Each structure stands twice: as C-alpha cells, then as structure tokens.
Amino acid sequence: MASTFDTVAGIISETCDIPRESITPESHAINDLGIDSLDFLDVAFAIDKAFGIKMPLEQWTSEVNEGKISSDNYFVLKGLCANIDALVAAKAA
Amino acid sequence: MRLEYFQMVDRVVALDPAGGTVRADCHVPEASPVFEGHFPGHPLLPGVLMIETLAQTGGWLLLARTRFARMVFLAQVREAKLRSFVAPGRALVASARLVHDGSGYAVMEGRLEADGKRVADAELTFRIVAFPTPDLRAQMLDAARRVGVAEEWWDAG
C-alpha cells in the first residue's frame, strides 16, 4: 500500500506535470513546486477523492492569512500529509 | 435566454440542493445580436454559451446549497464536448450534478439536451467565495426570483 506521501506526490506530479523525482517531503507546494491556486484545486479534488476526505482548505488558508500558523504546516508536503493522515484517522474514528 | 445579457437560464424546474442535482429550461431566442456574428447567415448558439449555460445551471444549485451566503465563480472546464449544433428557437434542458463538494470549491457534471438528445456536456469546477459586494448578492437574489429558485433557499442574511 502506497504511503500518504507517495500518493500525494503522484497526484501532484500527474496533475501539475511536475517530475515525480523533484517532489520531496520537504517541498513547499507553492513556493518550491510553483503550484498555482487553480492547479491546487485539482490537487485538492484528487486528494479528497483518493482519501475520502474533505480537506478544510478555507480554514487552513484563513489560519495562514491571519498569521496563526505557518503555511509550511499545510503546504510543505510532509505537513500536508500529516494533516491528511489526521483527517483520515478522524473519519475512521 | 437573453444571450447578450448572459441570462442563460429561463427557469429552474427542479432543484435538490441536498441531493446535489438541478435542472433548468433554457429557450434559445429566435433572434439575438449574437447570431449576427455567429455566424452571418448561419446562426448557431456559440459553444462557449452552451458551457456558460451549464455553468449557470450548476451555479444555481451551489448558490442554493449555501443559501446565497456565498458566490460561485466558474474556475475550470474539463472534458467539454459540443456534440451538436444548436440553432435559434431550440428548447434546451440543462442539468447538473454535484460530483464533489470541497472546501471553497465544488466539482459538477453538466449536461445540455435538446429534444432529449445530448448536445453538450462538461465537468465544471467552481470556486465558492464570499460575495465581493452586497450589491452582487442582491442582484443574484433578483435573478434567483426571475428563474424561479424557491425562496426557501435564500435565507442567509
């Protein structure tokens, strides 16, 4: 079974036409990989479908914009994957 | 339809916000300035306006789901197929089905039919955002009244 990171990296690679080998757990989706907001909608849709969740993107964006949390927490892939795992676990609970 | 005013939906005839489906009647006018250019002597409903019709139909569903608390904007069109020409005077039925209700976005499948035959379809992605101005919300409520979106779906203050 693929790890969360492998699945997310595969989605980003396919959706955004980014070489898979350039995507690492430390990659920032926006700052490093250059994913724009429209492509990120595609990524979010694919992640939501793949994991059966609804990522709270609006809440995350709001928290970042209000300075409550670093964007790294949600947009660096290891952080994103940790949040996905938490959402999957919460759904299963 | 009043093409030159981008009023593509005449009447929302079935709306199920919880179930994620909507259907609308859209009558292509016999005459419109649009047909003077598209095409001279051979009037056809432009394909982009078929897509716009699907987007507006799906948009009514999303507006109803938020009870007009938020505005929806078309962000992406995928797999658009324009299957048949549509001439002036045709009666169209547009329908849309919610595929995914994301956070701040939604994905829908739209289908346009004439005489029971599919003439266009597409997958549409919408951004769902705060109304940029109160006036736009008021305009959308006026339009909702015009197309027959029931008042029970308007109640966000």
Side-chain angles (χ1 to χ4, degrees):
Chain A
M1 183 175 168
S3 70
T4 300
F5 172 74
D6 287 336
T7 301
V8 170
I11 286 171
I12 290 173
S13 176
E14 184 174 335
T15 303
C16 305
D17 198 21
I18 295 171
R20 171 63 183 83
E21 60 273 16
S22 68
I23 302 170
T24 74
E26 283 70 37
S27 300
H28 190 294
I30 299 163
N31 299 341
D32 297 327
L33 301 178
I35 300 174
D36 68 17
S37 64
L38 183 56
D39 279 341
F40 200 81
L41 282 188
D42 278 344
V43 170
F45 180 34
I47 289 174
D48 281 359
K49 276 197 301 184
F51 293 95
I53 58 175
K54 178 175 175 175
M55 287 193 295
L57 298 178
E58 291 185 294
Q59 176 194 325
W60 293 355
T61 304
S62 174
E63 289 172 1
V64 170
N65 289 342
E66 292 170 10
K68 292 179 179 173
I69 200 162
S70 165
S71 71
D72 292 1
N73 193 64
Y74 297 130
F75 298 108
V76 169
L77 296 195
K78 63 184 178 187
L80 176 65
C81 291
N83 281 292
I84 291 169
D85 287 341
L87 290 165
V88 171
K91 188 184 174 197
Chain B
M1 295 171 119
R2 297 175 74 204
L3 305 183
E4 57 276 27
Y5 291 97
F6 258 56
Q7 293 178 1
M8 312 309 292
V9 170
D10 291 322
R11 199 77 184 163
V12 173
V13 295
L15 179 65
D16 179 3
T21 59
V22 60
R23 192 172 74 252
D25 287 341
C26 314
H27 189 266
V28 183
E30 292 287 353
S32 165
V34 169
F35 296 136
E36 295 172 17
H38 194 281
F39 293 96
H42 189 69
L44 294 172
L45 181 67
V48 290
L49 295 186
M50 295 189 209
I51 301 302
E52 177 65 19
T53 302
L54 296 176
Q56 290 190 16
T57 301
W60 287 121
L61 174 73
L62 297 176
L63 285 163
R65 283 175 65 87
T66 72
R67 294 183 177 270
F68 290 81
R70 311 186 76 192
M71 183 57 182
V72 297
F73 292 101
L74 181 64
Q76 180 168 265
V77 179
R78 276 190 188 279
E79 302 289 336
K81 293 194 170 86
L82 310 172
R83 298 174 183 277
S84 299
F85 292 140
V86 173
R90 298 295 299 275
L92 303 177
V93 175
S95 58
R97 180 180 72 83
L98 183 66
V99 174
H100 183 68
D101 183 17
S103 173
Y105 75 99
V107 180
M108 305 191 74
E109 288 177 352
R111 178 184 178 106
L112 195 63
E113 295 182 352
D115 298 324
K117 181 185 170 195
R118 186 168 46 165
V119 296
D121 46 83
E123 180 187 280
L124 310 167
T125 300
F126 298 84
R127 292 185 197 276
I128 304 173
V129 300
F131 271 101
T133 67
D135 184 58
L136 178 56
R137 180 171 184 272
Q139 297 277 352
M140 295 310 296
L141 287 172
D142 281 346
R145 188 177 296 111
R146 173 176 54 78
V147 301
V149 173
E151 290 190 29
E152 66 181 292
W153 304 112
W154 298 9
D155 65 3

